[in-house]
Amino acid sequence: MRPRARAWSLCPGLSCLGLSCPPSRPNPGWPTPIHQMATSRHRCVLEDFTRCSDSLLWKLMMSFYDRKGVESWSQGIVPHFITCNAFIGRAYAKVLLGFLHDCASSNACLPLTVSESLYIVELGAGSGKFSFFILKAVKELAELLNFPAEKIVYVMTDFTWNNLKFWNDHECFRHQFDCGQLDVAIFDAVRDESMKLYHSNVTISRNSLKNPICIVANYLFDTLCHDIFQIEAGKLKEGLISVGSRSERELDALDPEIIKRFDNHFKYRVIEDDYYSESEVEDAHHLQRVLQWYRDFFGASPDGASILFPIGALRALRRLTSFSGETEYCIDQSPLKTNRRSCTCAVWRQGKQ
């Protein structure tokens, strides 16, 4: 028995970018496909139809965080209390503590080298509030660690210098900076192949770490680029998006205020399963199998399915695992479609979960 039609939105938070993925058959409340939509005479076309992960959507979101800086959180524009509080910080610290305890056992799959640094890298640290809470918790639990506390280095990262400058100047982080247990770096998780730490001047790159890299992705992966797919009548289709505005003219194509005026159009075209054979060479085979599974599973359904595919998060994981010989421990907190939240932990080794 096949499931009925559904929109498989892996990251519901993307609705703010107009990416509530429409089902293959129109239902009330979903965006209308372009071939069924009358052209608006007032629509400003900012970008013609393109692959979703390459679209202007993501540049606009990055522009928002770059221009607003920490005001994105301090002014209450971006909700953050549920993911940035002392309880969550301590919970993450306990998970990391459990990982270190497992690695210290005699039959550990990922034994640690105590003479080498262990890097905990937070992606998209934003205002730094969550970093403060998890650092505080790690310090309080230091006596329970099965690893030298002085060898643990917490790294706050973001793609914009505005946030790094705020962290560097903040008095709450001064002690950790001075003792070498905290560092910062400019890092674009989707594109960058290396990470240069600001205070220690250490460069983390492919195979440069002896210990597994620990990744903290607190509400981060749902903000990285996605692709859109649709399964209809047994065929796999890619979703193309044309980014537009309800204004007749936009003087600055990267003005974050455009997000409030979005008038985005979608269209679909049939593709083969080897969609990522050129853009994701290392993982093309695995991604092809995933797309084949979606096509086979939903292909017999009369209503098909629509899918948001987190290609940005997968690219980030690929780059980060390469820093420590394809080994990684990742903690991710993401919103679920049920409005509950999950904290997912995964160990990646030799490119496999």
PDB file of all heavy atoms in Angstrom, residues 286 318 321 326-328 346-353:
ATOM      1  N   HIS A 286      25.791   7.760  -4.054  1.00  0.00           N
ATOM      2  CA  HIS A 286      24.897   7.687  -2.892  1.00  0.00           C
ATOM      3  C   HIS A 286      23.649   8.548  -3.111  1.00  0.00           C
ATOM      4  O   HIS A 286      22.534   8.131  -2.780  1.00  0.00           O
ATOM      5  CB  HIS A 286      25.631   8.147  -1.642  1.00  0.00           C
ATOM      6  CG  HIS A 286      26.904   7.398  -1.383  1.00  0.00           C
ATOM      7  ND1 HIS A 286      26.940   6.056  -1.098  1.00  0.00           N
ATOM      8  CD2 HIS A 286      28.202   7.816  -1.384  1.00  0.00           C
ATOM      9  CE1 HIS A 286      28.178   5.661  -0.922  1.00  0.00           C
ATOM     10  NE2 HIS A 286      28.975   6.717  -1.085  1.00  0.00           N
ATOM     11  N   ARG A 318      30.191  16.544   4.093  1.00  0.00           N
ATOM     12  CA  ARG A 318      31.294  16.007   3.293  1.00  0.00           C
ATOM     13  C   ARG A 318      32.576  16.800   3.529  1.00  0.00           C
ATOM     14  O   ARG A 318      33.648  16.225   3.737  1.00  0.00           O
ATOM     15  CB  ARG A 318      30.910  16.027   1.809  1.00  0.00           C
ATOM     16  CG  ARG A 318      32.074  15.900   0.830  1.00  0.00           C
ATOM     17  CD  ARG A 318      32.874  14.637   1.024  1.00  0.00           C
ATOM     18  NE  ARG A 318      32.125  13.449   0.658  1.00  0.00           N
ATOM     19  CZ  ARG A 318      32.585  12.215   0.835  1.00  0.00           C
ATOM     20  NH1 ARG A 318      33.763  12.022   1.397  1.00  0.00           N
ATOM     21  NH2 ARG A 318      31.855  11.181   0.474  1.00  0.00           N
ATOM     22  N   THR A 321      33.886  16.288   7.318  1.00  0.00           N
ATOM     23  CA  THR A 321      34.480  14.982   7.599  1.00  0.00           C
ATOM     24  C   THR A 321      35.862  14.856   6.997  1.00  0.00           C
ATOM     25  O   THR A 321      36.717  14.140   7.529  1.00  0.00           O
ATOM     26  CB  THR A 321      33.598  13.831   7.069  1.00  0.00           C
ATOM     27  OG1 THR A 321      33.333  14.035   5.676  1.00  0.00           O
ATOM     28  CG2 THR A 321      32.291  13.750   7.820  1.00  0.00           C
ATOM     29  N   GLU A 326      37.788  11.617   7.357  1.00  0.00           N
ATOM     30  CA  GLU A 326      36.445  11.063   7.162  1.00  0.00           C
ATOM     31  C   GLU A 326      35.800  10.590   8.461  1.00  0.00           C
ATOM     32  O   GLU A 326      34.972   9.678   8.462  1.00  0.00           O
ATOM     33  CB  GLU A 326      36.463   9.908   6.148  1.00  0.00           C
ATOM     34  CG  GLU A 326      37.090  10.258   4.816  1.00  0.00           C
ATOM     35  CD  GLU A 326      36.369  11.384   4.091  1.00  0.00           C
ATOM     36  OE1 GLU A 326      35.151  11.519   4.281  1.00  0.00           O
ATOM     37  OE2 GLU A 326      37.032  12.115   3.334  1.00  0.00           O
ATOM     38  N   THR A 327      36.178  11.184   9.595  1.00  0.00           N
ATOM     39  CA  THR A 327      35.517  10.866  10.863  1.00  0.00           C
ATOM     40  C   THR A 327      34.941  12.144  11.460  1.00  0.00           C
ATOM     41  O   THR A 327      35.581  13.188  11.436  1.00  0.00           O
ATOM     42  CB  THR A 327      36.483  10.234  11.874  1.00  0.00           C
ATOM     43  OG1 THR A 327      37.558  11.131  12.131  1.00  0.00           O
ATOM     44  CG2 THR A 327      37.023   8.918  11.345  1.00  0.00           C
ATOM     45  N   GLU A 328      33.735  12.026  11.999  1.00  0.00           N
ATOM     46  CA  GLU A 328      33.046  13.221  12.495  1.00  0.00           C
ATOM     47  C   GLU A 328      31.967  12.807  13.482  1.00  0.00           C
ATOM     48  O   GLU A 328      31.349  11.752  13.358  1.00  0.00           O
ATOM     49  CB  GLU A 328      32.417  13.952  11.307  1.00  0.00           C
ATOM     50  CG  GLU A 328      31.473  15.066  11.671  1.00  0.00           C
ATOM     51  CD  GLU A 328      30.762  15.609  10.446  1.00  0.00           C
ATOM     52  OE1 GLU A 328      31.386  16.299   9.637  1.00  0.00           O
ATOM     53  OE2 GLU A 328      29.564  15.314  10.311  1.00  0.00           O
ATOM     54  N   ALA A 346      25.102  11.886  15.226  1.00  0.00           N
ATOM     55  CA  ALA A 346      25.559  10.896  14.264  1.00  0.00           C
ATOM     56  C   ALA A 346      27.072  10.867  14.224  1.00  0.00           C
ATOM     57  O   ALA A 346      27.721  11.905  14.298  1.00  0.00           O
ATOM     58  CB  ALA A 346      25.004  11.203  12.869  1.00  0.00           C
ATOM     59  N   VAL A 347      27.614   9.654  14.133  1.00  0.00           N
ATOM     60  CA  VAL A 347      29.049   9.480  13.929  1.00  0.00           C
ATOM     61  C   VAL A 347      29.268   9.094  12.482  1.00  0.00           C
ATOM     62  O   VAL A 347      28.643   8.158  11.972  1.00  0.00           O
ATOM     63  CB  VAL A 347      29.616   8.372  14.855  1.00  0.00           C
ATOM     64  CG1 VAL A 347      31.088   8.149  14.564  1.00  0.00           C
ATOM     65  CG2 VAL A 347      29.417   8.749  16.316  1.00  0.00           C
ATOM     66  N   TRP A 348      30.128   9.831  11.800  1.00  0.00           N
ATOM     67  CA  TRP A 348      30.442   9.550  10.406  1.00  0.00           C
ATOM     68  C   TRP A 348      31.873   9.044  10.342  1.00  0.00           C
ATOM     69  O   TRP A 348      32.789   9.646  10.897  1.00  0.00           O
ATOM     70  CB  TRP A 348      30.295  10.804   9.547  1.00  0.00           C
ATOM     71  CG  TRP A 348      28.914  11.328   9.511  1.00  0.00           C
ATOM     72  CD1 TRP A 348      28.252  11.969  10.519  1.00  0.00           C
ATOM     73  CD2 TRP A 348      27.987  11.264   8.421  1.00  0.00           C
ATOM     74  NE1 TRP A 348      26.983  12.299  10.135  1.00  0.00           N
ATOM     75  CE2 TRP A 348      26.799  11.891   8.852  1.00  0.00           C
ATOM     76  CE3 TRP A 348      28.065  10.740   7.125  1.00  0.00           C
ATOM     77  CZ2 TRP A 348      25.690  11.997   8.031  1.00  0.00           C
ATOM     78  CZ3 TRP A 348      26.973  10.863   6.315  1.00  0.00           C
ATOM     79  CH2 TRP A 348      25.792  11.482   6.763  1.00  0.00           C
ATOM     80  N   ARG A 349      32.073   7.932   9.636  1.00  0.00           N
ATOM     81  CA  ARG A 349      33.414   7.374   9.518  1.00  0.00           C
ATOM     82  C   ARG A 349      33.614   6.840   8.107  1.00  0.00           C
ATOM     83  O   ARG A 349      32.782   6.093   7.599  1.00  0.00           O
ATOM     84  CB  ARG A 349      33.633   6.255  10.525  1.00  0.00           C
ATOM     85  CG  ARG A 349      35.073   5.745  10.545  1.00  0.00           C
ATOM     86  CD  ARG A 349      35.289   4.731  11.658  1.00  0.00           C
ATOM     87  NE  ARG A 349      36.687   4.421  11.784  1.00  0.00           N
ATOM     88  CZ  ARG A 349      37.168   3.554  12.664  1.00  0.00           C
ATOM     89  NH1 ARG A 349      36.354   2.945  13.501  1.00  0.00           N
ATOM     90  NH2 ARG A 349      38.456   3.302  12.724  1.00  0.00           N
ATOM     91  N   GLN A 350      34.726   7.208   7.484  1.00  0.00           N
ATOM     92  CA  GLN A 350      35.061   6.800   6.135  1.00  0.00           C
ATOM     93  C   GLN A 350      33.909   7.049   5.176  1.00  0.00           C
ATOM     94  O   GLN A 350      33.571   6.245   4.331  1.00  0.00           O
ATOM     95  CB  GLN A 350      35.445   5.317   6.113  1.00  0.00           C
ATOM     96  CG  GLN A 350      36.699   5.015   6.930  1.00  0.00           C
ATOM     97  CD  GLN A 350      37.058   3.556   6.934  1.00  0.00           C
ATOM     98  OE1 GLN A 350      36.268   2.718   6.514  1.00  0.00           O
ATOM     99  NE2 GLN A 350      38.246   3.233   7.387  1.00  0.00           N
ATOM    100  N   GLY A 351      33.282   8.236   5.340  1.00  0.00           N
ATOM    101  CA  GLY A 351      32.238   8.646   4.429  1.00  0.00           C
ATOM    102  C   GLY A 351      30.908   7.962   4.654  1.00  0.00           C
ATOM    103  O   GLY A 351      29.963   8.155   3.910  1.00  0.00           O
ATOM    104  N   LYS A 352      30.795   7.131   5.720  1.00  0.00           N
ATOM    105  CA  LYS A 352      29.548   6.415   5.976  1.00  0.00           C
ATOM    106  C   LYS A 352      29.030   6.796   7.349  1.00  0.00           C
ATOM    107  O   LYS A 352      29.787   7.088   8.248  1.00  0.00           O
ATOM    108  CB  LYS A 352      29.765   4.906   5.911  1.00  0.00           C
ATOM    109  CG  LYS A 352      30.204   4.428   4.523  1.00  0.00           C
ATOM    110  CD  LYS A 352      30.403   2.937   4.507  1.00  0.00           C
ATOM    111  CE  LYS A 352      30.851   2.451   3.136  1.00  0.00           C
ATOM    112  NZ  LYS A 352      31.054   0.996   3.104  1.00  0.00           N
ATOM    113  N   GLN A 353      27.716   6.744   7.491  1.00  0.00           N
ATOM    114  CA  GLN A 353      27.121   7.057   8.789  1.00  0.00           C
ATOM    115  C   GLN A 353      27.134   5.825   9.668  1.00  0.00           C
ATOM    116  O   GLN A 353      26.857   4.743   9.220  1.00  0.00           O
ATOM    117  CB  GLN A 353      25.691   7.541   8.591  1.00  0.00           C
ATOM    118  CG  GLN A 353      25.046   7.991   9.876  1.00  0.00           C
ATOM    119  CD  GLN A 353      23.688   8.586   9.655  1.00  0.00           C
ATOM    120  OE1 GLN A 353      23.183   8.626   8.559  1.00  0.00           O
ATOM    121  NE2 GLN A 353      23.082   9.061  10.717  1.00  0.00           N
TER     122      GLN A 353
END
